[in-house]
Amino acid sequence: MQFKRYGIYYTPEPGALTAFGAAWLGWDLDTGTAVAHPNVMGLPLTVSDITATPRKYGLHGTIKPPFFLADGTDATGLNAALATFCAAQRQVSMKGLVLARLGGFLALKIDGDQTPLANVASACVRELDAFRAPPSEAELARRRKAGLSEVQEALLMHWGYPYVMEEFRFHITLSGRLGEHADATRVALEPHVVPHLPRPFVVSGLTLVGEDEAGMFHTIQRHTFSA
């Protein structure tokens, strides 16, 4: 399959959280197929409406945000470079994950200190940046609509994305912006997702993903931290 953009994600190992997350979002990264939504009682909106924005990305935490390949690079080289990077990393362990409201959307975030994973993410962004093409003016304009700080603007210009390095905040997105419906959605979702949240939260590898022509993301290959 041909892909137009590539990204580096944390994706959970196969299990209950991965299965529920694929159904909740309606997209399975590993199989590259749509999945029927679960029946979750008490939601203020349909699952399809709640998850419309994050669906195409699948269940993931962004490590290196999606990018177009730079001239002179290819997906084979990127995959090999990620394999080399992961071979030099040790798995990192944190307290756990929690379901939380982040602004107007819902996500799983790290409970406690994210520094061990933030360090890996920063190294990944830095060491694989030669594969990233510079963002277009349209991409820059779209990012700036969020109202970036001076630090975020500098990161955007240097790394092509404003929420990396010191601005990195790991999260696994579960909804689009919900506004007044966010709290009710969280209450309804909690009993379905909280029992599956890992404690501790261990990251033992990273996943190369690709975006197809329809805008949906697919797993290309998982790489294990093996230092």
Side-chain angles (χ1 to χ4, degrees), residues 40-201:
V40 177
M41 302 297 293
L43 292 172
L45 302 168
T46 67
V47 178
S48 182
D49 287 341
I50 291 168
T51 60
T53 300
R55 180 170 303 124
K56 71 176 188 175
Y57 300 101
L59 189 72
H60 80 288
T62 299
I63 300 298
K64 186 170 180 61
F67 55 91
F68 294 96
L69 286 174
D71 291 342
T73 67
D74 58 30
T76 300
L78 172 61
N79 193 42
L82 179 59
T84 298
F85 174 81
C86 289
Q89 307 302 313
R90 292 184 173 87
Q91 72 175 26
V92 295
S93 180
M94 291 147 288
K95 185 177 178 181
L97 291 175
V98 294
L99 176 63
R101 177 174 176 174
L102 300 180
F105 65 95
L106 299 179
L108 304 179
K109 70 173 188 176
I110 292 172
D111 183 12
D113 183 20
Q114 69 158 10
T115 300
L117 184 55
N119 290 340
V120 171
S122 294
C124 181
V125 167
R126 182 173 55 252
E127 293 186 26
L128 299 182
D129 205 52
F131 290 91
R132 177 185 60 84
S136 67
E137 288 301 320
E139 289 179 88
L140 293 174
R142 180 167 57 86
R143 294 296 180 197
R144 287 167 177 151
K145 287 181 179 179
L148 304 179
S149 68
E150 288 186 13
V151 170
Q152 290 165 349
E153 172 68 21
L155 292 170
L156 174 64
M157 295 306 297
H158 195 113
W159 303 108
Y161 194 71
Y163 310 113
V164 293
M165 303 304 180
E166 62 264 44
E167 291 293 305
F168 174 78
R169 302 291 183 272
F170 179 85
H171 59 280
I172 298 174
T173 304
L174 297 179
S175 80
R177 296 195 178 277
L178 297 172
E180 63 183 0
H181 301 298
D183 288 335
T185 302
R186 179 182 55 79
V187 170
L189 183 58
E190 273 183 341
H192 296 271
V193 70
V194 169
H196 306 316
L197 298 184
R199 302 189 76 83
F201 172 45

